[in-house]
Amino acid sequence: MKFDKPETTNPIDSLKVVGKPHLRIDGPLKVSGQAPYAYEHAVIGSDVAYGYPVCAAIAKGRIRSIDATAARAAPGVLAVVTTIEFGEARKGENNTAHLFGGNRIEHYHQAIAVVVAESFEQARSAAALVEVDYDEAEGSFDLDAAKGSATSPDPESENADTAVGNFDVAFNSAEVTLDARYETPDQSHAMMEPHASIARWDGDQLTVWTSSQMIDWWHTDLAIVLDMDKEKIRLKSPYIGGGFGGKLFLRVDAVLAAVGAKAAGRAVKLTLPRPMIMNNTTHRPATIQRIRIGAESTGKITAIAHESWSGNLPDGDLETAVMQTRLLYAGQNRMTAMRLAQLDLAEGNAMRAPGEAPGLMALEIAMDEMAEKLGLDPVEFRIINDTQVDPENPERPFSKRDLIGCLQRGAERFGWSDRSAKPGVRREGRYLIGHGVAAAFRNNLLVPSAALVRLEPSGRLVVETDMTDIGTGSYTILAQTAAEMFGVEIGAVDVRLGDSQFPISAGSGGQFGANCSTSGVYAACVKLRDAIAQRLGFNSADITFEGGFVRSGDRSIPLAEAAGPEGLAGEDGIEWGDLAKTHQQSTFGAHFVEVAVDAFTGESRVRRMLAVCAAGRILNPITARSQVIGAMTMGIGGALSEELVVDTKRGFFVNHDLAGYEVPVHADVPHQEVIFLDETDAMSSPMKAKGVGELGLCGVSAAIANAIYNATGVRVRDYPITLDKVIGGLPKVA
């Protein structure tokens, strides 16, 4: 199905199932422990062994030799495979670093061997016996130091510098200006379920149970790394314990499990131990950002510039922290630029809302600083500079944009009018109280997605697609989509996900999963509806599905009867036309936060949070709200605690476990409220929906930073905002 014109009325608009607050259909399985995650699958008929990785103790260089003699002789050991024995291997299309193979070391904790034994403890013990001789090389590990040698992106790419008008002239002549530097640190995905896989060979056929957000990407790249025919590999990932982008791309646990299973002649389960994940896998790269804003005394922005520097391994990508600044606020004279430095740290790559999340951490502080210089309320300043067209291309309107509605609704609900414009004056006992706001922005990304929908002779519907559910509610919203299309209850639909033998879906990432995968199911449902009409001799244009019946004119036939004895199936996918080119498709929101800062210690606590989102049709308010409050919680960590600390001499993240890398826990999370504006976007998809899972994070950390400033008068521009950065500037205690 080609989606190339704005959607009109379709069966989804009935909203009998879609748009309603259905509980997650996978919930009972998960809370009862019946949903198997990657490490828990029962591989029937197999004697399962255990793999344990050996990881590099240097960040850059070569391996001279690996001696696994002692490891192979250890109790219970079935096999040891070293990276040198495996030999040179191609890296996957989506991998920046080589996962395994050869003697090069590209980053600390790179996998260099796998030990397989009868038990996990035996494998772990033997792994410690592997001796490695390195030829260590000097590396680059400090973004600030490498900033001067950072390079420009391809001028033909979407990451190239942009310029509209004459920024320098407009900025230098502006009545009020801001020029400030902001920093965001390296951050870890820190998902609950570690990277884990089980691999089993049946002859030359490989099956891998793993934890993957993107089945087809992994399927393709695993075949490349193992130098195999893709059709001889089957990936299964029905349940995933979180990903946040860390499981978008093939990881080494799947490779090592496959390699170890082949060497041992047994099915092998392998997980990356938590202390290895943060240096072995991917992370959100640190940024250094410079923002300049010039405005008239009325508050109208006349000049805005955003520059960002990030680092990565050779052939790695930028952290695209300026992208939202190209679209979020008006201003006739503008420029954006990004630069990439070479660093020999673990691969920097996508983490929830890549680009916009760290970019808004800076931009939305800058907007508050500028509002203060102008003597304007921060909400008013943002509203003054709203735009309904792409600021870099005014001929291109937004398909739907209600940032003003988000700000105004949020301000009213939050009680923004009670905020003190003067920082550091509101107190409750020993606490300084502050309020902060930030705009939220995330683009609506479109990815092809396919599905198969089958009508069983019993009248039940079965949906099959390799779409994944990383805790986002995919099972539920796909069931809702099929139920709506065929006029049945959600309980009459079975959804099967995460299998490479199913049609290729969008997968879970970029907040595109919900809108694109439901659109793929919608397309398959349309195909099946047509097949049913043809079988029954009905006119497809006049057919209706309601209450378990198929109706056309005065004829009404039970859905089960339409299936026939063999059942009936429809397979199709959604493909996207040019609507996203003619109209900018984005999601918008506003975050409001109240903090309390200890007037003696500088410790900051978030007391209440409100998010107002405009993101097209909300397919399920329960699952959408869960996504937003999870994102808001992640924003607390980004603002106050999360930082991968770099050892700039040895080249690794020092705090590479959940004891040293501090994420928010229940005691850190206050009352959270989420409001969805009543909105549909006919240009986004047949569902008229967009994503919200990343929008809920964008801007949260800046709202907290702005609230801390409002509470204390201390402006912190480098995250996380730890008490040592606040305590020295606290108001004197009377």
Side-chain angles (χ1 to χ4, degrees), residues 400-402 586-588 613-618 676-681 688-690:
K400 184 80 69 169
R401 175 180 169 125
D402 196 7
S586 304
T587 59
F588 297 88
C613 303
R617 172 175 284 153
I618 302 303
F676 297 114
L677 298 189
D678 187 10
E679 177 181 285
T680 58
D681 191 336
K688 303 176 185 174
K690 300 174 186 174

Side-chain angles (χ1 to χ4, degrees), residues 33-45:
Q34 297 178 74
Y37 290 88
Y39 201 73
E40 301 170 340
H41 288 279
V43 185
I44 305 300

Side-chain angles (χ1 to χ4, degrees), residues 83 147 204 323 385 645 711:
T83 183
K147 178 173 174 280
D204 63 352
M323 290 306 200
N385 291 287
V645 179

Side-chain angles (χ1 to χ4, degrees), residues 695-719:
L695 180 70
L697 170 62
C698 296
V700 175
S701 296
I704 294 170
N706 292 334
I708 290 172
Y709 174 75
N710 182 247
T712 64
V714 179
R715 177 64 72 186
V716 181
R717 299 186 182 92
D718 60 312
Y719 293 93

Side-chain angles (χ1 to χ4, degrees), residues 264-601:
R266 298 260 292 272
V268 167
K269 59 169 54 181
L270 182 145
T271 185
L272 295 183
R274 186 70 66 174
M276 294 182 185
I277 289 176
M278 295 178 183
N279 284 288
N280 176 273
T281 62
T282 63
H283 70 285
R284 191 196 300 281
T287 68
I288 297 171
Q289 302 179 48
R290 182 190 184 191
I291 296 177
R292 288 173 286 171
I293 304 175
E296 299 173 353
S297 59
T298 60
K300 181 181 178 181
I301 292 175
T302 56
I304 184 167
H306 193 165
E307 299 163 271
S308 177
W309 291 261
S310 59
N312 214 334
L313 292 165
D315 300 324
D317 293 326
L318 291 154
E319 178 67 34
T320 54
V322 308
M323 290 306 200
Q324 73 289 320
T325 308
R326 297 177 178 180
L327 293 162
L328 189 49
Y329 297 115
Q332 289 187 333
N333 304 282
R334 33 197 328 120
M335 65 87 75
T336 67
M338 293 179 287
R339 299 292 180 264
L340 181 64
Q342 181 175 322
L343 296 179
D344 299 302
L345 296 170
E347 177 183 343
N349 217 314
M351 180 170 159
R352 197 175 199 170
E356 286 96 333
L360 285 164
M361 288 171 78
L363 177 63
E364 288 302 289
I365 292 180
M367 289 295 289
D368 258 44
E369 293 194 69
M370 195 65 183
E372 184 177 47
K373 282 174 171 280
L374 290 160
L376 291 173
D377 179 88
V379 171
E380 180 186 0
F381 180 50
R382 288 170 171 85
I383 290 174
I384 288 172
N385 291 287
D386 184 51
T387 174
Q388 294 298 309
V389 298
D390 177 349
E392 292 189 351
N393 182 11
E395 301 301 314
R396 183 169 174 254
F398 284 90
S399 62
K400 184 80 69 169
R401 175 180 169 125
D402 196 7
L403 175 60
I404 291 178
C406 294
L407 288 164
Q408 291 178 334
R409 178 79 176 274
E412 179 183 1
R413 178 70 179 177
F414 189 77
W416 184 254
S417 60
D418 294 335
R419 169 186 176 270
S420 171
K422 183 178 179 181
V425 299
R426 181 177 169 186
R427 295 192 58 152
E428 293 181 11
R430 65 182 292 143
Y431 294 103
L432 298 161
I433 309 301
H435 292 163
V437 66
F441 173 94
R442 179 72 167 138
N443 275 329
N444 183 51
L445 305 179
L446 299 174
V447 178
S449 192
L452 182 146
V453 180
R454 186 169 59 254
L455 177 62
E456 301 282 16
S458 64
R460 294 190 65 80
L461 291 159
V462 177
V463 176
E464 292 181 342
T465 170
D466 80 355
M467 181 60 186
T468 52
D469 190 327
I470 57 173
T472 46
S474 301
Y475 280 101
T476 310
I477 59 173
L478 296 183
Q480 288 177 261
T481 303
E484 192 75 72
M485 292 294 287
F486 290 98
V488 299
E489 299 293 327
I490 190 173
V493 182
D494 297 318
V495 178
R496 299 171 184 169
L497 302 180
D499 191 324
S500 61
Q501 292 190 343
F502 296 158
I504 297 171
S505 72
S508 298
Q511 85 170 17
F512 53 66
N515 185 33
C516 296
S517 66
T518 53
S519 295
V521 171
Y522 172 90
C525 288
V526 170
K527 184 69 68 75
L528 178 55
R529 284 165 61 105
D530 289 344
I532 291 171
Q534 184 176 2
R535 171 170 286 184
L536 297 178
F538 288 168
N539 184 338
S540 295
D542 298 330
I543 197 170
T544 61
F545 293 79
E546 186 176 5
F549 287 84
V550 188
R551 294 187 173 93
S552 181
D554 58 359
R555 293 180 62 195
S556 180
I557 298 175
L559 193 58
E561 185 177 327
E566 302 298 325
L568 198 59
E571 182 175 352
D572 202 356
I574 195 77
E575 296 181 2
W576 307 101
D578 293 333
L579 289 176
K581 297 178 182 178
T582 60
H583 291 74
Q584 175 59 40
Q585 294 187 23
S586 304
T587 59
F588 297 88
H591 290 286
F592 292 82
V593 172
E594 178 178 294
V595 301
V597 181
D598 192 302
F600 297 92
T601 69

Side-chain angles (χ1 to χ4, degrees), residues 172-186:
N172 291 330
S173 62
E175 295 177 83
V176 182
T177 62
L178 169 76
D179 185 347
R181 168 177 160 142
Y182 305 87
E183 297 179 36
T184 64
D186 296 288

